[in-house]
Amino acid sequence: MSKVRFAAIFGRFQPFHLTHLQYALTARTRCEHLLIGLTQVFGEDSQAFPGAAHRSTRESNPLTFLDRTRLVTAALTEQGGHSWFTCI
């Protein structure tokens, strides 16, 4: 299978766990560079998540964007990913 240049995955990653790691590594097999979108960044315009209101509460999202970026970066760097992904 040929790889596309870029691909993207998205998630809250609250926290980033083994299934998330497998998700990212599987996506990586299909692209040269993986963009990882961290969702649920809280602000004044935060809205309830349709079908899963608990995902929009602060209690369900204890980690900041920066915390999650660091966790994802550490996990993927340990997998040799220092040059093939970007958190956005």
Side-chain angles (χ1 to χ4, degrees):
M1 173 190 312
S2 64
K3 291 184 178 185
V4 297
R5 187 160 181 210
F6 293 99
I9 62 172
F10 300 89
R12 286 184 312 136
F13 306 125
Q14 288 279 4
F16 192 75
H17 54 69
L18 183 57
T19 303
H20 294 140
L21 177 62
Q22 292 169 340
Y23 173 42
L25 294 176
T26 298
R28 165 62 176 136
T29 66
R30 299 178 178 156
C31 65
E32 294 175 22
H33 195 86
L34 182 63
L35 301 172
I36 302 171
L38 301 173
T39 63
Q40 288 302 103
V41 178
F42 283 96
E44 292 179 16
D45 61 346
S46 293
Q47 299 176 15
F49 187 85
H54 71 282
R55 290 184 174 201
S56 298
T57 66
R58 291 210 179 266
E59 295 78 27
S60 294
N61 296 283
L63 303 174
T64 67
F65 177 83
L66 183 57
D67 292 336
R68 293 179 290 149
T69 299
R70 288 176 176 158
L71 287 171
V72 171
T73 299
L76 293 179
T77 298
E78 189 172 299
Q79 298 295 315
H82 61 279
S83 64
W84 55 260
F85 74 93
T86 302
C87 289
I88 55 173

